[in-house]
Amino acid sequence: MAKVHVSTTVNGQPMDVLVEPNDSLLDTLRDGLGLTGTKEGCATGDCGACSVMLDGRLVCSCLVLGAEAEGKTIDTIEGVADGDGLHIIQQKFLEHAALQCGICTPGFIVAAKALLEREPNPDETTIRYWLAGNLCRCTGYDKIVRAVQDAANELASPA
Amino acid sequence: MAEAVDLKAIGTRPVRPDGVEKVTGRANFGADLNLPGMLHGKILRSPHAHARIKSIDLSGALAVDGVLAAISGEDIPGGGDLGDNVLANEKVLYHGHAVAAVAATSAYIAEQALDQIQVEYEVLNPVLSIDDAIADGATLVNESQHTNGDTSQPASNIAAITKFERGDIDKGFAEAAVVAEGEFRVPTAHQGYIEPHACTATINEEGKATVWCCTQGQFDVRSMTANCLDKQVSDIRVIPSEIGGGFGGKTTIYLEPVAVKLSEISGRPVKMVMSREEVFRATGPTSATLCRVKVGAKSDGTITAATAWLAYEAGAYPGAPVGPGCMSVLAPYELENFKIEGHDVLVNKPKVAAYRAPGAPQSMHAMECAIDDLARKLEMDPIELRLKNAADEGTIAPYGPQFPAIGLRACLEAAKVHPNYTTPPAEGQGRGVAVGFWFNIGMQSSAEIRIAENGAVTIMEGSPDIGGSRASMCLMAAETLGIPYENINAHVGDTEATGYCNTTGGSRTTFATGMAVIEACEDIIAQCKERAALTWDLDVNQVDWEDGQAVPKPGVNADVKPLSLADIARSAGRTGGPLLGRASLNAQGPGASFSVNWTDVEVDRETGKVDVMAFTGVQDAGRAIHPSYVEGQMQGGAVQGLGWALNEEYIYDANGVMENAGFLDYRVPVTSDMPMIDTQIVEVPNPSHPYGVRGVGETPIVAPLAATSNAVRDALGFRINDLPLSPPRVLAAIDENE
């Protein structure tokens, strides 16, 4: 099959990439653009390790075709820390030891950032339901939920 | 032993050294490596649970444009059962068993080429349960398997029988005022690591191979791969990536010899990554089990006798963790009379692999449910009953050795007064208690400490870091050297870059590799004292090491300024060369870890759904080096145990095909299923470790099964023996009982 030319914007930068028609956006990011921070845990939309923002909407990149990125804006884990340092959510994940192996962490951080942009002051239940699409097998979720709560508090009233 | 006086670094909660890499997406995991000219390998898997392979024809695949290599079982000449599991030889033994493999210029071409491989099978009856496997006249999974290797007996699906016995059980039960017993089934569960198995391999014209992979043990990957390919360990270099979870499941190999062989034939690097479906169908889950237990006690609660008959599914090859199942089933109790018998049973399912405290959750689920029933019959608090019988320092464990200082009693005492326990469960909820145990292991480790010219410390060791162990290594080094944690970094080396370390497993890393790091730091201190003595023209016996610097001993008349690690490092060229500390050891005395857990549940009587409302874990860590990561082990293990108790199971059809091979249908707990997981760390120092460390990672998965089962018993007023306590099972039991 002939490859498809895709022009897209990833983490604020315009990018061009050739994709197989059946490549997922996850394949395109990882193999086409070398952005391996986005992880594959299942490729069926069940684990959330491949979470990215597509035109401002949280998606599993394994369920989107690479060709669908044409003209779209994509934000991945590699773009979460701006040039000035870690995002507050990244900092809180570290402080709370909210990761063990770390394979699910990029997806959780992208999803948590999306939550706090939409709902700056979520209660525990809201956090738990928003993150229910992201599987973590190491932490039992306790420290992840606390890290997101703490990040929300700090964003609401910066120290 | 260095008693924990004035610990400065140990017990603090700094950010892990590999943290920034992991929250920014920079950390490289198994599937993240790409090499120039790399091919993609894919595996053809058996469509049958049990069949004889009559022929394999690879020519169709080799004819596909872009395919550069294709192999089958005969290309993996060694490795015994492991090699046969990597690529089947005479028979396929489970649905999903690897049969052949191809390497092609793209993953799509490789997958399409698999369809062109012709395999002729003679389909056989599959053996799909313990009951079927041990029945008279059962189909044999392996026609040459005899129980315990005794060829005077007919071939059998029971690969081995293990027994532990003490005292007189008839006399013991005769003394009992009350007896509890039952038959309990626990289903197959998968480790469920989020990162699928992945590796990339390349081999050069001299036959030297390099393998990059996600593993719990690069040295075991090296020896296993060498065995499968009839190579020497020195022919293979294994470079471990970051590892995306393992829980025991990445202590073995599946892809590595295949990738090396495909690379050898094609002359190109070959990358192989499993799909999630392949992970479920063909990598080690843990055993489904059938356990029959009985326990009796006097009216004051003293346990007089217990029996356990255990059968564990091994999958297609011998090696179920029934030995540790037998050894753990009564480990928390001091009792005179018991009989334990374990069976390692072959079935046509994937070869089981280690899963966190392998074997203990299943047998202890049965016994801890029976102990709970005993407490009800005695009208005793379940913690009081366990305190009455708790193993303690000096107890001869049922599996032989005498316990040194252990923390079971301390955990029970802490649980008894814990506010989560003294507060009764809310109206309509049930509460269940259980005890957990794991042996922990020591074994071989090596570590090197290198000091940069500015005094910065690099630890090089060989234990893949699966949950924050590099932070623990840095903390123990900071404590020993007397320098700030921030000045230290830790790395996991490949098989050529670091000394031998046994696999990360058995909760050994912080204990054993930690001990090697501590000894390597002591080596550095000894060298620094020598360098300072040389600089000051003193005898080395006149020099002390205090707070990270060399100082003259009290009373030594020397007008000198203390020399810091950086001072000594800076001038190392003039005092004997670079500072390099090292240690290697075979760590003894790992120290068993006990826990007490309780679960509070609410049962929806209309749907059968069980909700976990609260969970508390109390566990002896010996010494918590980084308390956040100890809590994390307790919380993560608890939620894996809760998932196993409530929902997780392999569901097979009548042909032995797993029907739920994906995260949608094999549903592990998600954030919204769980409450906060409360933890309390108890510290009864392990006398065999300089800072008192015990392994902590495995014990947490053990007790949640029975604690949750006992909580559902409490909520419903009757017991459901089998797991998982999923809505269909609970609803059926409610209908039957009402």
Side-chain angles (χ1 to χ4, degrees), chain B residues 562-687:
Chain B
L563 290 173
S564 68
L565 198 53
D567 295 332
I568 296 169
R570 208 175 297 119
S571 60
R574 295 197 299 275
T575 58
L579 294 166
L580 177 65
R582 62 183 183 87
S584 66
L585 47 78
N586 188 349
Q588 306 296 313
S593 176
F594 289 88
S595 68
V596 182
N597 293 175
W598 59 102
T599 315
D600 289 359
V601 301
E602 202 165 87
V603 183
D604 184 328
R605 287 176 176 266
E606 287 185 10
T607 63
K609 181 165 186 284
V610 177
D611 280 317
V612 178
M613 308 309 291
F615 182 93
T616 311
V618 178
Q619 188 182 325
D620 175 22
R623 176 83 60 213
I625 300 297
H626 191 306
S628 294
Y629 288 105
V630 173
E631 292 162 2
Q633 290 294 322
M634 293 167 69
Q635 292 164 334
V639 169
Q640 283 186 319
L642 290 167
W644 201 353
L646 293 177
N647 218 22
E648 293 179 37
E649 62 176 324
Y650 270 43
I651 299 168
Y652 283 96
D653 72 9
N655 296 317
V657 179
M658 184 188 182
E659 295 188 303
N660 58 334
F663 277 138
L664 186 63
D665 299 312
Y666 182 95
R667 194 173 176 286
V668 304
V670 303
T671 321
S672 55
D673 294 330
M674 287 293 128
M676 291 297 188
I677 305 295
D678 291 340
T679 58
Q680 183 180 345
I681 300 170
V682 167
E683 294 185 315
V684 176
N686 174 7

Side-chain angles (χ1 to χ4, degrees), chain B residues 358-417:
Chain B
Q362 297 99 318
S363 65
M364 290 186 75
H365 163 257
M367 190 57 77
E368 290 298 297
C369 285
I371 298 277
D372 190 71
D373 288 343
L374 204 59
R376 285 180 185 282
K377 289 185 178 182
L378 290 161
E379 295 180 356
M380 265 181 97
D381 175 86
I383 290 181
E384 288 295 346
L385 175 60
R386 288 170 171 93
L387 269 170
K388 178 98 190 162
N389 297 283
D392 208 341
E393 183 170 356
T395 299
I396 309 285
Y399 55 94
Q402 188 170 26
F403 283 125
I406 52 172
L408 174 57
R409 193 165 286 278
C411 288
L412 289 163
E413 295 287 1
K416 201 168 74 168
V417 298

Side-chain angles (χ1 to χ4, degrees), chain B residues 164 166 169 172-173 293-296 303-308 330 333 335-340 367 371:
Chain B
F164 294 86
R166 190 191 296 161
I169 53 165
F173 279 116
V293 299
K294 181 177 172 184
V295 57
I303 295 174
T304 56
T307 59
L330 286 166
Y333 303 108
L335 77 166
E336 284 174 16
N337 309 298
F338 59 81
K339 184 178 177 185
I340 304 162
M367 190 57 77
I371 298 277

Side-chain angles (χ1 to χ4, degrees), chain A residues 22-23 30 37 39-41 46 77 90 94 97 99-101 103 128 131-132 135 137-143, chain B residues 16 22-23 25 31-32 108 190-191 194 243 245 276 355 628-629 631-632 635-636 640 648 669 671 674 677:
Chain A
N22 47 353
D23 276 350
R30 289 178 54 83
K39 303 301 180 189
E40 178 177 316
D46 299 315
I77 183 66
Q90 293 171 312
L94 293 178
L99 58 143
Q100 285 176 31
C101 80
I103 192 86
R128 287 187 179 277
L131 297 178
L135 299 182
R137 194 61 161 169
C138 293
T139 65
Y141 303 109
D142 184 297
K143 294 185 189 304
Chain B
R16 58 198 285 167
K22 286 191 170 156
V23 297
D32 294 343
Y108 296 123
H190 197 276
Q191 294 82 347
I194 306 300
I243 174 170
R276 176 57 51 185
Y355 181 22
S628 294
Y629 288 105
E631 292 162 2
Q635 292 164 334
Q640 283 186 319
E648 293 179 37
T671 321
M674 287 293 128
I677 305 295

Side-chain angles (χ1 to χ4, degrees), chain A residues 64-131:
Chain A
V64 178
L65 288 171
E68 290 181 81
E70 174 65 34
K72 300 268 183 20
T73 299
I74 296 155
D75 293 292
T76 71
I77 183 66
E78 286 90 348
V80 171
D82 60 23
D84 297 332
L86 296 179
H87 187 279
I88 188 74
I89 295 173
Q90 293 171 312
Q91 192 58 43
K92 292 300 171 190
F93 266 63
L94 293 178
E95 287 173 17
H96 286 265
L99 58 143
Q100 285 176 31
C101 80
I103 192 86
C104 71
T105 308
F108 266 100
I109 287 173
V110 168
K113 182 166 176 277
L115 166 63
L116 296 188
E117 282 164 4
R118 188 178 155 127
E119 171 68 63
N121 189 24
D123 60 14
E124 184 189 332
T125 303
T126 304
I127 294 171
R128 287 187 179 277
Y129 275 89
W130 183 269
L131 297 178

Side-chain angles (χ1 to χ4, degrees), chain B residues 112-348:
Chain B
Q112 287 163 7
L114 294 180
D115 295 340
Q116 305 307 315
I117 297 173
Q118 304 295 323
V119 186
E120 204 181 338
Y121 293 102
E122 175 195 344
V123 179
L124 305 169
N125 283 331
V127 181
L128 297 173
S129 69
I130 288 169
D131 308 76
D132 287 351
I134 65 178
D136 288 340
T139 299
L140 293 169
V141 175
N142 178 345
E143 293 81 358
S144 55
Q145 181 70 54
H146 298 263
T147 305
N148 292 352
D150 180 359
T151 49
S152 69
Q153 298 296 314
S156 166
N157 288 322
I158 300 175
I161 299 177
T162 314
K163 290 179 184 172
F164 294 86
E165 237 173 305
R166 190 191 296 161
D168 180 341
I169 53 165
D170 293 334
K171 177 170 159 283
F173 279 116
E175 287 167 8
V178 291
V179 169
E181 61 187 312
E183 178 178 298
F184 300 84
R185 287 173 197 267
V186 175
T188 300
H190 197 276
Q191 294 82 347
Y193 32 82
I194 306 300
E195 180 199 37
H197 298 261
C199 78
T200 302
T202 186
I203 183 164
N204 71 12
E205 287 70 14
E206 289 181 316
K208 299 287 186 189
T210 305
V211 177
W212 292 261
C213 61
C214 49
T215 176
Q216 293 176 237
Q218 64 276 47
F219 291 93
D220 272 355
V221 171
R222 182 175 71 167
S223 59
M224 290 176 186
T225 303
N227 285 343
C228 286
L229 296 172
D230 278 348
K231 285 180 163 295
Q232 301 295 316
V233 292
S234 46
D235 293 331
I236 301 173
R237 176 184 184 187
V238 179
I239 303 176
S241 66
E242 293 294 337
I243 174 170
F247 315 105
K250 289 176 185 162
T251 58
T252 187
I253 59 167
Y254 301 98
L255 302 172
E256 289 78 0
V258 177
V260 171
K261 194 73 198 175
L262 290 170
S263 175
E264 187 176 87
I265 293 170
S266 64
R268 307 264 288 267
V270 175
K271 178 174 180 171
M272 302 188 75
V273 182
M274 281 196 195
S275 68
R276 176 57 51 185
E277 184 179 342
E278 287 180 291
V279 171
F280 274 116
R281 293 199 192 286
T283 72
T286 191
S287 301
T289 58
L290 168 59
C291 300
R292 299 186 184 112
V293 299
K294 181 177 172 184
V295 57
K298 293 180 186 172
S299 53
D300 71 352
T302 306
I303 295 174
T304 56
T307 59
W309 182 97
L310 314 176
Y312 281 40
E313 288 185 5
Y317 303 91
V322 67
C326 290
M327 290 159 71
S328 57
V329 63
L330 286 166
Y333 303 108
E334 166 109 52
L335 77 166
E336 284 174 16
N337 309 298
F338 59 81
K339 184 178 177 185
I340 304 162
E341 189 174 308
H343 304 75
D344 183 13
V345 182
L346 299 186
V347 290
N348 289 114

